[in-house]
Amino acid sequence: MEQQAPLNIEGLAEYQSKLFNNSTPWLKSFRRQSFDQWSAAAMPGPKEEEWKYTPLSPLVSRCFQLAKRHQLIEDRQFENYRSKADINVVLVNGVLWAELSNLKNLPAGLQISAFSEALSHGGDGAQDTIAKLTANDSKPFLWMNQALFLDGAFIEVAEEARIEPLIHIIHITSGIVPDTVVFPRSYVSVGKSAAVNIMESHICFEPVAYLANAVTDIRIGQEALVGYCKAQAESHQATHIGSTRIWQERASCLDSFSFNHGGLLVRNNLSILIKGEGTHTIMNGLYGIDGDQHVDNHTLLDIRHPNCSSYQLYKGLLNGKSRAVFNGKIYVHADAQKTDAYQLNKHLLLGKEARVDTKPQLEIFADDVKCTHGATIGQLNEDEVFYLQSRCIPKQTAIGLLSKGFIDDIINTVKSDAIRVKLNRLLLKKFPEIKL
Amino acid sequence: MSDIVKQKELEDNKLAGEYRYGFHTVIAEDKAPKGLNEDIVALISAKKKEPEWMLEWRLKAFRHWQKMQEPSWPNFEYGPIDYQDIYYYSAPKQKKENPKNLSEVDEELLKTFDRLGIPLTEQKRLTGVAVDAVFDSISVGTTHQGELAKHGIIFCSMSEAILHHPELVKKYLGSVVPYTDNFFATLNSAVFSDGSFCYIPKGVRCPLELSTYFRINAEDTGQFERTLIVAEDSSYVSYLEGCTAPMRDTNQLHAAVVELVALDDAEIKYSTVQNWYSGDKEGKGGIYNFVTKRGKCLGARSKISWTQVEAGSAITWKYPSVILQGDHSVGKFYSVALTNNRMTADTGTKMIHIGKNTRSTIVSKGISSDFAHNSYRGLVKIMPTAEGARNFSQCDSMLVGNKCSANTFPYIEVKNNTAVVEHEASTSKINAEQMFYLRSRGLDLEEAVSLIINGFCKDVFKELPLEFSVEAVKLLEMKLEGSVG
């Protein structure tokens, strides 16, 4: 406890001892271990390959506060955000609020509870899976979350359950003082042959600077079918550092989408580990950013078994002085024969000082594979803008239309209607002049 | 009878698969003591009768090098290099000191180059190609100097250039790769022994292909040569480089630096066929080829192109780069990297766009077989000043066998919104249908593979000068022999 933590947090010792004392013995040792790892780690600097293009120095000089439990939130905007048709799981500053969520009358085979509750009631099962999943990870922010998260959403989908409505996990940061740090955490386990669509939204309606250190773990059982979307719409002063870890078992199918819209400094780590044969993975993403925003997407697809296929398309629309970083890594192990992996990263630079750093990366150790990747960076076609202008469409609207076209084809790949509608609604704010 | 025939066949086969250039020339050597310190640097400088300013530059580099750390970021591992266990200077002892022309060069040396297929003597040598032959630490001779002088072209060894053209060397040496650049380039700056210097005056189109042939002969030596090519306004030069070394169980370090400077409207084509000894099947021995190559398109509308066929070395670790500083300048990079047995190649390029409307093209083909590792690592950087910059990159990898690996690490950094950058890469194995088609037409396995590989690399081979192109194809065929099927 005497160790100097890599991040300056006020009242850390007190918070930590209280938190640790309230944890179950297993969770306590889990937190303790993570805390030790985190305090031993240094804040990653620009010399580290993984953080080369995303400077964390602005965080180091700040003094952070820890988020308090239960804060009231502004209701009206929030009401617009959630839909009655979905199963809403609402977490405020990392703590599950049953009053705001609709957790009663859940469909058969679906269990949703708070993290702490699941650990105390769920017995060893929940502990074992978490322990198994979190081994061998070496990310300081992940350790930080594991050590200090207050609570989270714990979702289990039973074998062969087909969950029709969308599960919408809404992480709200609210009622905080500037420079607060919050730890949203969720865990989803999807049983064999089950099917489910999950959306995770990170939102904040207050114009305040804070750090959200989010972790989501998803285990996808054999032959299961999962649609997952992470929509990040934090406040425009916020820093969001998220780790999403997904484990895919044999013949499972994942359709994932990462949507980035808010935040000043955003980093998403998406790592998908293929643990069985014949899986299919879609990892798409979109970032529409403006002003001084900085969005960094790091994805890793680790394929260890044969006959797996994957498709990845990330698109970026950059306005103003915004900056995008993309690092997509596909690792094909020697046993993963007959892998078919496709990766593409496209950017549209609208802002004069917008900046892109991209690195699509392939590491291949199996010979009978088909792996391709590509990256493009460009502008709008002047002829197309001219054509629209000649049809009496003002230039700004023409640019908006064409940009919308650029992103529409990726939004349309999202299979779940409920998710697509929500994403379009978020996009509407970006393109107010276009009526959908 | 049949036994004898069989025996002969066996021997032939053995020879074909082995490294043809693996012999060692027994020749008296003039060596500096092992190890590296300021005295050694001074000794090298003194042996070459260098002026004071050169020694100072070397010492500056050496002092800087002592403060540097060996880089640890590459995607491979190599045994620790003991920098104190290397001879930094080794020259063949010649009967006459400073032979004035080739007829005064030792018979043994000339024979060595004959055996390597690079005849230096007047009557035998290739017409149309001028050669600077570098043996361990020194240049043994440069052909066609007279003819080139008629056009005002200077083509000589680096040591001669330092003595006879100090103003040019002073102006351009270290202007592209400064002595502080990286660990191996700094080491080279301190101890470089020889290399080629080439200067093409204004408006001259070099009538011959210029070439340097590097040969490592002595044991436990490191070869550190330095090449500098300067092309004045509107000039053109095509330059070739070839390399071989004897077969040895220990690794030898080759840390060269190549600098190219192209002024307004000038064009430099630099081609390399690298066939250093790559170690045996178990990965024992071979050359560590840690080279810094960089060109600067200083003038407007200048062009620099790198073409390389990397077929040797235990480890190849180099990124021939182009700094596109002049407006409308063009950089090109064509590469075939073939790795077999336990070889490693971590190669690629850097294209730094600074000037307006600069263009660059990258075509990289990697072939990996047996237990080899092949990585493409490249950087395309568009600076804020590079309005209208354009880049196209294509990196394809082919895997032959399932114990090898192919990796791509393309870094793309764009800081100007008028840039258009495209990158594509693929990794696959030899197409089974193409194989079947060729086999059904009566080609045997190896012919079929060779044909497909040739097609795969064609984009790069066609950039090579004709003689080299033929040689490169043969080299690839020889290397891949026995690794398929």
Side-chain angles (χ1 to χ4, degrees), chain A residues 317 350 388 393-408 424-436:
Chain A
L317 184 66
L350 295 179
L388 290 174
I393 294 170
K395 191 170 180 186
Q396 274 315 308
T397 314
I399 290 174
L401 265 176
L402 291 168
S403 312
K404 187 73 175 60
F406 175 75
I407 51 187
D408 260 355
N424 271 324
R425 199 175 297 152
L426 277 173
L427 276 173
L428 206 60
K429 287 184 198 153
K430 281 257 150 185
F431 302 100
E433 68 271 33
I434 305 165
K435 298 276 169 295
L436 293 171

PDB file of all heavy atoms in Angstrom, chain A residues 317 350 388 393-408 424-436:
ATOM      1  N   LEU A 317     -13.890   9.265 -39.726  1.00  0.00           N
ATOM      2  CA  LEU A 317     -14.263  10.530 -40.357  1.00  0.00           C
ATOM      3  C   LEU A 317     -13.676  11.620 -39.476  1.00  0.00           C
ATOM      4  O   LEU A 317     -14.077  11.771 -38.323  1.00  0.00           O
ATOM      5  CB  LEU A 317     -15.789  10.621 -40.407  1.00  0.00           C
ATOM      6  CG  LEU A 317     -16.393  11.807 -41.112  1.00  0.00           C
ATOM      7  CD1 LEU A 317     -16.085  11.752 -42.586  1.00  0.00           C
ATOM      8  CD2 LEU A 317     -17.891  11.823 -40.906  1.00  0.00           C
ATOM      9  N   LEU A 350     -11.444  15.365 -43.434  1.00  0.00           N
ATOM     10  CA  LEU A 350     -12.133  16.584 -43.812  1.00  0.00           C
ATOM     11  C   LEU A 350     -11.451  17.799 -43.190  1.00  0.00           C
ATOM     12  O   LEU A 350     -11.379  18.854 -43.783  1.00  0.00           O
ATOM     13  CB  LEU A 350     -13.603  16.526 -43.370  1.00  0.00           C
ATOM     14  CG  LEU A 350     -14.446  15.455 -44.070  1.00  0.00           C
ATOM     15  CD1 LEU A 350     -15.858  15.464 -43.539  1.00  0.00           C
ATOM     16  CD2 LEU A 350     -14.465  15.655 -45.574  1.00  0.00           C
ATOM     17  N   LEU A 388     -22.995  17.501 -56.845  1.00  0.00           N
ATOM     18  CA  LEU A 388     -24.094  17.845 -55.940  1.00  0.00           C
ATOM     19  C   LEU A 388     -24.342  19.354 -55.930  1.00  0.00           C
ATOM     20  O   LEU A 388     -25.476  19.812 -55.924  1.00  0.00           O
ATOM     21  CB  LEU A 388     -23.807  17.336 -54.526  1.00  0.00           C
ATOM     22  CG  LEU A 388     -23.856  15.815 -54.380  1.00  0.00           C
ATOM     23  CD1 LEU A 388     -23.416  15.402 -52.997  1.00  0.00           C
ATOM     24  CD2 LEU A 388     -25.262  15.288 -54.652  1.00  0.00           C
ATOM     25  N   ILE A 393     -27.304  21.892 -54.410  1.00  0.00           N
ATOM     26  CA  ILE A 393     -27.140  21.512 -53.005  1.00  0.00           C
ATOM     27  C   ILE A 393     -25.953  22.306 -52.461  1.00  0.00           C
ATOM     28  O   ILE A 393     -24.877  22.267 -53.054  1.00  0.00           O
ATOM     29  CB  ILE A 393     -26.902  19.995 -52.877  1.00  0.00           C
ATOM     30  CG1 ILE A 393     -28.166  19.264 -53.319  1.00  0.00           C
ATOM     31  CG2 ILE A 393     -26.539  19.607 -51.446  1.00  0.00           C
ATOM     32  CD1 ILE A 393     -28.002  17.786 -53.471  1.00  0.00           C
ATOM     33  N   PRO A 394     -26.156  23.047 -51.373  1.00  0.00           N
ATOM     34  CA  PRO A 394     -25.043  23.839 -50.857  1.00  0.00           C
ATOM     35  C   PRO A 394     -23.836  22.952 -50.527  1.00  0.00           C
ATOM     36  O   PRO A 394     -24.004  21.778 -50.182  1.00  0.00           O
ATOM     37  CB  PRO A 394     -25.608  24.473 -49.578  1.00  0.00           C
ATOM     38  CG  PRO A 394     -27.075  24.295 -49.652  1.00  0.00           C
ATOM     39  CD  PRO A 394     -27.362  23.156 -50.556  1.00  0.00           C
ATOM     40  N   LYS A 395     -22.675  23.550 -50.604  1.00  0.00           N
ATOM     41  CA  LYS A 395     -21.444  22.778 -50.449  1.00  0.00           C
ATOM     42  C   LYS A 395     -21.404  22.022 -49.118  1.00  0.00           C
ATOM     43  O   LYS A 395     -21.067  20.833 -49.088  1.00  0.00           O
ATOM     44  CB  LYS A 395     -20.234  23.706 -50.559  1.00  0.00           C
ATOM     45  CG  LYS A 395     -18.941  22.936 -50.665  1.00  0.00           C
ATOM     46  CD  LYS A 395     -17.779  23.814 -51.018  1.00  0.00           C
ATOM     47  CE  LYS A 395     -16.522  22.944 -51.098  1.00  0.00           C
ATOM     48  NZ  LYS A 395     -15.316  23.725 -51.301  1.00  0.00           N
ATOM     49  N   GLN A 396     -21.756  22.722 -48.036  1.00  0.00           N
ATOM     50  CA  GLN A 396     -21.694  22.076 -46.734  1.00  0.00           C
ATOM     51  C   GLN A 396     -22.606  20.848 -46.666  1.00  0.00           C
ATOM     52  O   GLN A 396     -22.240  19.807 -46.140  1.00  0.00           O
ATOM     53  CB  GLN A 396     -22.053  23.060 -45.618  1.00  0.00           C
ATOM     54  CG  GLN A 396     -20.869  23.883 -45.137  1.00  0.00           C
ATOM     55  CD  GLN A 396     -19.616  23.044 -44.926  1.00  0.00           C
ATOM     56  OE1 GLN A 396     -19.632  22.021 -44.245  1.00  0.00           O
ATOM     57  NE2 GLN A 396     -18.506  23.453 -45.545  1.00  0.00           N
ATOM     58  N   THR A 397     -23.810  21.008 -47.236  1.00  0.00           N
ATOM     59  CA  THR A 397     -24.743  19.882 -47.246  1.00  0.00           C
ATOM     60  C   THR A 397     -24.202  18.753 -48.114  1.00  0.00           C
ATOM     61  O   THR A 397     -24.316  17.568 -47.774  1.00  0.00           O
ATOM     62  CB  THR A 397     -26.119  20.334 -47.773  1.00  0.00           C
ATOM     63  OG1 THR A 397     -26.446  21.549 -47.132  1.00  0.00           O
ATOM     64  CG2 THR A 397     -27.182  19.297 -47.512  1.00  0.00           C
ATOM     65  N   ALA A 398     -23.591  19.136 -49.233  1.00  0.00           N
ATOM     66  CA  ALA A 398     -23.028  18.129 -50.135  1.00  0.00           C
ATOM     67  C   ALA A 398     -21.956  17.323 -49.412  1.00  0.00           C
ATOM     68  O   ALA A 398     -21.920  16.086 -49.474  1.00  0.00           O
ATOM     69  CB  ALA A 398     -22.450  18.804 -51.373  1.00  0.00           C
ATOM     70  N   ILE A 399     -21.100  18.045 -48.680  1.00  0.00           N
ATOM     71  CA  ILE A 399     -20.032  17.364 -47.945  1.00  0.00           C
ATOM     72  C   ILE A 399     -20.653  16.444 -46.893  1.00  0.00           C
ATOM     73  O   ILE A 399     -20.237  15.297 -46.721  1.00  0.00           O
ATOM     74  CB  ILE A 399     -19.077  18.396 -47.301  1.00  0.00           C
ATOM     75  CG1 ILE A 399     -18.273  19.084 -48.400  1.00  0.00           C
ATOM     76  CG2 ILE A 399     -18.147  17.737 -46.290  1.00  0.00           C
ATOM     77  CD1 ILE A 399     -17.399  20.220 -47.932  1.00  0.00           C
ATOM     78  N   GLY A 400     -21.700  16.967 -46.218  1.00  0.00           N
ATOM     79  CA  GLY A 400     -22.401  16.166 -45.216  1.00  0.00           C
ATOM     80  C   GLY A 400     -22.990  14.903 -45.820  1.00  0.00           C
ATOM     81  O   GLY A 400     -22.847  13.802 -45.279  1.00  0.00           O
ATOM     82  N   LEU A 401     -23.633  15.066 -46.966  1.00  0.00           N
ATOM     83  CA  LEU A 401     -24.257  13.915 -47.639  1.00  0.00           C
ATOM     84  C   LEU A 401     -23.221  12.851 -47.989  1.00  0.00           C
ATOM     85  O   LEU A 401     -23.424  11.660 -47.756  1.00  0.00           O
ATOM     86  CB  LEU A 401     -24.911  14.384 -48.933  1.00  0.00           C
ATOM     87  CG  LEU A 401     -26.393  14.734 -48.886  1.00  0.00           C
ATOM     88  CD1 LEU A 401     -26.829  15.264 -50.240  1.00  0.00           C
ATOM     89  CD2 LEU A 401     -27.222  13.509 -48.521  1.00  0.00           C
ATOM     90  N   LEU A 402     -22.131  13.323 -48.565  1.00  0.00           N
ATOM     91  CA  LEU A 402     -21.111  12.371 -48.997  1.00  0.00           C
ATOM     92  C   LEU A 402     -20.443  11.693 -47.797  1.00  0.00           C
ATOM     93  O   LEU A 402     -20.142  10.506 -47.840  1.00  0.00           O
ATOM     94  CB  LEU A 402     -20.060  13.072 -49.859  1.00  0.00           C
ATOM     95  CG  LEU A 402     -20.577  13.515 -51.231  1.00  0.00           C
ATOM     96  CD1 LEU A 402     -19.579  14.442 -51.903  1.00  0.00           C
ATOM     97  CD2 LEU A 402     -20.841  12.309 -52.132  1.00  0.00           C
ATOM     98  N   SER A 403     -20.261  12.477 -46.725  1.00  0.00           N
ATOM     99  CA  SER A 403     -19.667  11.877 -45.527  1.00  0.00           C
ATOM    100  C   SER A 403     -20.606  10.837 -44.952  1.00  0.00           C
ATOM    101  O   SER A 403     -20.194   9.776 -44.498  1.00  0.00           O
ATOM    102  CB  SER A 403     -19.407  12.934 -44.456  1.00  0.00           C
ATOM    103  OG  SER A 403     -18.765  14.023 -45.012  1.00  0.00           O
ATOM    104  N   LYS A 404     -21.889  11.175 -44.977  1.00  0.00           N
ATOM    105  CA  LYS A 404     -22.883  10.238 -44.467  1.00  0.00           C
ATOM    106  C   LYS A 404     -22.844   8.953 -45.297  1.00  0.00           C
ATOM    107  O   LYS A 404     -22.944   7.851 -44.763  1.00  0.00           O
ATOM    108  CB  LYS A 404     -24.264  10.897 -44.526  1.00  0.00           C
ATOM    109  CG  LYS A 404     -25.377  10.110 -43.888  1.00  0.00           C
ATOM    110  CD  LYS A 404     -25.264  10.134 -42.366  1.00  0.00           C
ATOM    111  CE  LYS A 404     -26.408   9.456 -41.659  1.00  0.00           C
ATOM    112  NZ  LYS A 404     -26.598   8.052 -41.969  1.00  0.00           N
ATOM    113  N   GLY A 405     -22.672   9.121 -46.598  1.00  0.00           N
ATOM    114  CA  GLY A 405     -22.561   7.953 -47.468  1.00  0.00           C
ATOM    115  C   GLY A 405     -21.372   7.094 -47.104  1.00  0.00           C
ATOM    116  O   GLY A 405     -21.444   5.866 -47.106  1.00  0.00           O
ATOM    117  N   PHE A 406     -20.300   7.783 -46.746  1.00  0.00           N
ATOM    118  CA  PHE A 406     -19.059   7.085 -46.376  1.00  0.00           C
ATOM    119  C   PHE A 406     -19.284   6.193 -45.153  1.00  0.00           C
ATOM    120  O   PHE A 406     -18.777   5.077 -45.079  1.00  0.00           O
ATOM    121  CB  PHE A 406     -17.984   8.146 -46.096  1.00  0.00           C
ATOM    122  CG  PHE A 406     -16.676   7.611 -45.577  1.00  0.00           C
ATOM    123  CD1 PHE A 406     -15.784   6.975 -46.429  1.00  0.00           C
ATOM    124  CD2 PHE A 406     -16.320   7.761 -44.247  1.00  0.00           C
ATOM    125  CE1 PHE A 406     -14.566   6.509 -45.958  1.00  0.00           C
ATOM    126  CE2 PHE A 406     -15.108   7.290 -43.768  1.00  0.00           C
ATOM    127  CZ  PHE A 406     -14.231   6.658 -44.633  1.00  0.00           C
ATOM    128  N   ILE A 407     -20.090   6.704 -44.202  1.00  0.00           N
ATOM    129  CA  ILE A 407     -20.268   5.908 -42.985  1.00  0.00           C
ATOM    130  C   ILE A 407     -21.486   5.001 -43.025  1.00  0.00           C
ATOM    131  O   ILE A 407     -21.564   4.037 -42.288  1.00  0.00           O
ATOM    132  CB  ILE A 407     -20.320   6.786 -41.713  1.00  0.00           C
ATOM    133  CG1 ILE A 407     -21.317   7.902 -41.877  1.00  0.00           C
ATOM    134  CG2 ILE A 407     -18.982   7.314 -41.370  1.00  0.00           C
ATOM    135  CD1 ILE A 407     -21.285   8.878 -40.723  1.00  0.00           C
ATOM    136  N   ASP A 408     -22.425   5.330 -43.919  1.00  0.00           N
ATOM    137  CA  ASP A 408     -23.648   4.522 -43.953  1.00  0.00           C
ATOM    138  C   ASP A 408     -23.376   3.052 -44.214  1.00  0.00           C
ATOM    139  O   ASP A 408     -23.978   2.183 -43.590  1.00  0.00           O
ATOM    140  CB  ASP A 408     -24.599   5.052 -45.022  1.00  0.00           C
ATOM    141  CG  ASP A 408     -25.688   5.900 -44.391  1.00  0.00           C
ATOM    142  OD1 ASP A 408     -25.722   5.966 -43.144  1.00  0.00           O
ATOM    143  OD2 ASP A 408     -26.483   6.480 -45.131  1.00  0.00           O
ATOM    144  N   ASN A 424     -27.802   5.383 -35.445  1.00  0.00           N
ATOM    145  CA  ASN A 424     -28.242   6.432 -36.359  1.00  0.00           C
ATOM    146  C   ASN A 424     -28.688   7.668 -35.600  1.00  0.00           C
ATOM    147  O   ASN A 424     -28.467   8.790 -36.037  1.00  0.00           O
ATOM    148  CB  ASN A 424     -29.365   5.912 -37.262  1.00  0.00           C
ATOM    149  CG  ASN A 424     -28.788   5.284 -38.521  1.00  0.00           C
ATOM    150  OD1 ASN A 424     -27.783   5.754 -39.053  1.00  0.00           O
ATOM    151  ND2 ASN A 424     -29.398   4.198 -38.971  1.00  0.00           N
ATOM    152  N   ARG A 425     -29.325   7.442 -34.455  1.00  0.00           N
ATOM    153  CA  ARG A 425     -29.784   8.573 -33.667  1.00  0.00           C
ATOM    154  C   ARG A 425     -28.585   9.371 -33.137  1.00  0.00           C
ATOM    155  O   ARG A 425     -28.594  10.588 -33.127  1.00  0.00           O
ATOM    156  CB  ARG A 425     -30.646   8.072 -32.502  1.00  0.00           C
ATOM    157  CG  ARG A 425     -31.515   9.170 -31.949  1.00  0.00           C
ATOM    158  CD  ARG A 425     -32.449   8.648 -30.885  1.00  0.00           C
ATOM    159  NE  ARG A 425     -33.393   7.674 -31.393  1.00  0.00           N
ATOM    160  CZ  ARG A 425     -33.922   6.700 -30.637  1.00  0.00           C
ATOM    161  NH1 ARG A 425     -33.565   6.568 -29.378  1.00  0.00           N
ATOM    162  NH2 ARG A 425     -34.784   5.856 -31.147  1.00  0.00           N
ATOM    163  N   LEU A 426     -27.540   8.646 -32.750  1.00  0.00           N
ATOM    164  CA  LEU A 426     -26.337   9.337 -32.288  1.00  0.00           C
ATOM    165  C   LEU A 426     -25.679  10.129 -33.421  1.00  0.00           C
ATOM    166  O   LEU A 426     -25.198  11.236 -33.238  1.00  0.00           O
ATOM    167  CB  LEU A 426     -25.322   8.313 -31.758  1.00  0.00           C
ATOM    168  CG  LEU A 426     -25.502   7.841 -30.329  1.00  0.00           C
ATOM    169  CD1 LEU A 426     -24.516   6.726 -30.040  1.00  0.00           C
ATOM    170  CD2 LEU A 426     -25.288   8.976 -29.344  1.00  0.00           C
ATOM    171  N   LEU A 427     -25.717   9.521 -34.614  1.00  0.00           N
ATOM    172  CA  LEU A 427     -25.088  10.160 -35.759  1.00  0.00           C
ATOM    173  C   LEU A 427     -25.825  11.414 -36.180  1.00  0.00           C
ATOM    174  O   LEU A 427     -25.249  12.332 -36.743  1.00  0.00           O
ATOM    175  CB  LEU A 427     -25.051   9.188 -36.939  1.00  0.00           C
ATOM    176  CG  LEU A 427     -23.880   8.224 -36.934  1.00  0.00           C
ATOM    177  CD1 LEU A 427     -24.048   7.212 -38.027  1.00  0.00           C
ATOM    178  CD2 LEU A 427     -22.575   8.982 -37.138  1.00  0.00           C
ATOM    179  N   LEU A 428     -27.115  11.417 -35.916  1.00  0.00           N
ATOM    180  CA  LEU A 428     -27.947  12.533 -36.306  1.00  0.00           C
ATOM    181  C   LEU A 428     -27.388  13.840 -35.768  1.00  0.00           C
ATOM    182  O   LEU A 428     -27.427  14.883 -36.400  1.00  0.00           O
ATOM    183  CB  LEU A 428     -29.362  12.296 -35.759  1.00  0.00           C
ATOM    184  CG  LEU A 428     -30.487  12.971 -36.521  1.00  0.00           C
ATOM    185  CD1 LEU A 428     -30.496  12.485 -37.944  1.00  0.00           C
ATOM    186  CD2 LEU A 428     -31.800  12.668 -35.852  1.00  0.00           C
ATOM    187  N   LYS A 429     -26.835  13.753 -34.558  1.00  0.00           N
ATOM    188  CA  LYS A 429     -26.257  14.947 -33.941  1.00  0.00           C
ATOM    189  C   LYS A 429     -25.065  15.445 -34.747  1.00  0.00           C
ATOM    190  O   LYS A 429     -24.774  16.624 -34.794  1.00  0.00           O
ATOM    191  CB  LYS A 429     -25.807  14.609 -32.514  1.00  0.00           C
ATOM    192  CG  LYS A 429     -26.963  14.453 -31.562  1.00  0.00           C
ATOM    193  CD  LYS A 429     -26.419  14.229 -30.158  1.00  0.00           C
ATOM    194  CE  LYS A 429     -27.493  13.631 -29.268  1.00  0.00           C
ATOM    195  NZ  LYS A 429     -26.935  12.835 -28.196  1.00  0.00           N
ATOM    196  N   LYS A 430     -24.370  14.516 -35.364  1.00  0.00           N
ATOM    197  CA  LYS A 430     -23.200  14.890 -36.164  1.00  0.00           C
ATOM    198  C   LYS A 430     -23.613  15.556 -37.473  1.00  0.00           C
ATOM    199  O   LYS A 430     -22.916  16.386 -38.004  1.00  0.00           O
ATOM    200  CB  LYS A 430     -22.378  13.638 -36.497  1.00  0.00           C
ATOM    201  CG  LYS A 430     -21.514  13.176 -35.373  1.00  0.00           C
ATOM    202  CD  LYS A 430     -20.074  13.540 -35.582  1.00  0.00           C
ATOM    203  CE  LYS A 430     -19.483  13.736 -34.229  1.00  0.00           C
ATOM    204  NZ  LYS A 430     -18.207  14.166 -34.029  1.00  0.00           N
ATOM    205  N   PHE A 431     -24.720  15.085 -38.003  1.00  0.00           N
ATOM    206  CA  PHE A 431     -25.146  15.594 -39.303  1.00  0.00           C
ATOM    207  C   PHE A 431     -26.537  16.183 -39.196  1.00  0.00           C
ATOM    208  O   PHE A 431     -27.490  15.644 -39.748  1.00  0.00           O
ATOM    209  CB  PHE A 431     -25.147  14.484 -40.352  1.00  0.00           C
ATOM    210  CG  PHE A 431     -23.817  13.829 -40.508  1.00  0.00           C
ATOM    211  CD1 PHE A 431     -23.545  12.619 -39.919  1.00  0.00           C
ATOM    212  CD2 PHE A 431     -22.822  14.445 -41.259  1.00  0.00           C
ATOM    213  CE1 PHE A 431     -22.314  12.018 -40.060  1.00  0.00           C
ATOM    214  CE2 PHE A 431     -21.585  13.848 -41.393  1.00  0.00           C
ATOM    215  CZ  PHE A 431     -21.333  12.634 -40.792  1.00  0.00           C
ATOM    216  N   PRO A 432     -26.677  17.312 -38.495  1.00  0.00           N
ATOM    217  CA  PRO A 432     -28.011  17.845 -38.251  1.00  0.00           C
ATOM    218  C   PRO A 432     -28.712  18.266 -39.545  1.00  0.00           C
ATOM    219  O   PRO A 432     -29.936  18.260 -39.622  1.00  0.00           O
ATOM    220  CB  PRO A 432     -27.757  19.044 -37.335  1.00  0.00           C
ATOM    221  CG  PRO A 432     -26.322  19.358 -37.473  1.00  0.00           C
ATOM    222  CD  PRO A 432     -25.630  18.139 -37.916  1.00  0.00           C
ATOM    223  N   GLU A 433     -27.908  18.591 -40.563  1.00  0.00           N
ATOM    224  CA  GLU A 433     -28.534  19.131 -41.784  1.00  0.00           C
ATOM    225  C   GLU A 433     -29.160  18.046 -42.662  1.00  0.00           C
ATOM    226  O   GLU A 433     -29.876  18.338 -43.598  1.00  0.00           O
ATOM    227  CB  GLU A 433     -27.517  19.955 -42.589  1.00  0.00           C
ATOM    228  CG  GLU A 433     -26.397  19.163 -43.199  1.00  0.00           C
ATOM    229  CD  GLU A 433     -25.203  19.044 -42.252  1.00  0.00           C
ATOM    230  OE1 GLU A 433     -25.392  18.980 -41.026  1.00  0.00           O
ATOM    231  OE2 GLU A 433     -24.089  19.004 -42.760  1.00  0.00           O
ATOM    232  N   ILE A 434     -28.866  16.809 -42.330  1.00  0.00           N
ATOM    233  CA  ILE A 434     -29.402  15.739 -43.175  1.00  0.00           C
ATOM    234  C   ILE A 434     -30.586  15.085 -42.490  1.00  0.00           C
ATOM    235  O   ILE A 434     -30.506  14.628 -41.360  1.00  0.00           O
ATOM    236  CB  ILE A 434     -28.333  14.670 -43.450  1.00  0.00           C
ATOM    237  CG1 ILE A 434     -27.109  15.335 -44.054  1.00  0.00           C
ATOM    238  CG2 ILE A 434     -28.856  13.606 -44.385  1.00  0.00           C
ATOM    239  CD1 ILE A 434     -25.901  14.460 -44.032  1.00  0.00           C
ATOM    240  N   LYS A 435     -31.668  15.034 -43.190  1.00  0.00           N
ATOM    241  CA  LYS A 435     -32.838  14.340 -42.650  1.00  0.00           C
ATOM    242  C   LYS A 435     -32.780  12.881 -43.100  1.00  0.00           C
ATOM    243  O   LYS A 435     -32.659  12.605 -44.287  1.00  0.00           O
ATOM    244  CB  LYS A 435     -34.120  14.993 -43.185  1.00  0.00           C
ATOM    245  CG  LYS A 435     -34.256  16.451 -42.770  1.00  0.00           C
ATOM    246  CD  LYS A 435     -34.852  16.590 -41.387  1.00  0.00           C
ATOM    247  CE  LYS A 435     -34.760  17.993 -40.846  1.00  0.00           C
ATOM    248  NZ  LYS A 435     -33.417  18.517 -40.599  1.00  0.00           N
ATOM    249  N   LEU A 436     -32.854  12.014 -42.158  1.00  0.00           N
ATOM    250  CA  LEU A 436     -32.733  10.603 -42.518  1.00  0.00           C
ATOM    251  C   LEU A 436     -34.075  10.030 -42.972  1.00  0.00           C
ATOM    252  O   LEU A 436     -35.100  10.417 -42.480  1.00  0.00           O
ATOM    253  CB  LEU A 436     -32.212   9.815 -41.321  1.00  0.00           C
ATOM    254  CG  LEU A 436     -30.783  10.152 -40.922  1.00  0.00           C
ATOM    255  CD1 LEU A 436     -30.435   9.488 -39.611  1.00  0.00           C
ATOM    256  CD2 LEU A 436     -29.805   9.701 -41.994  1.00  0.00           C
TER     257      LEU A 436
END
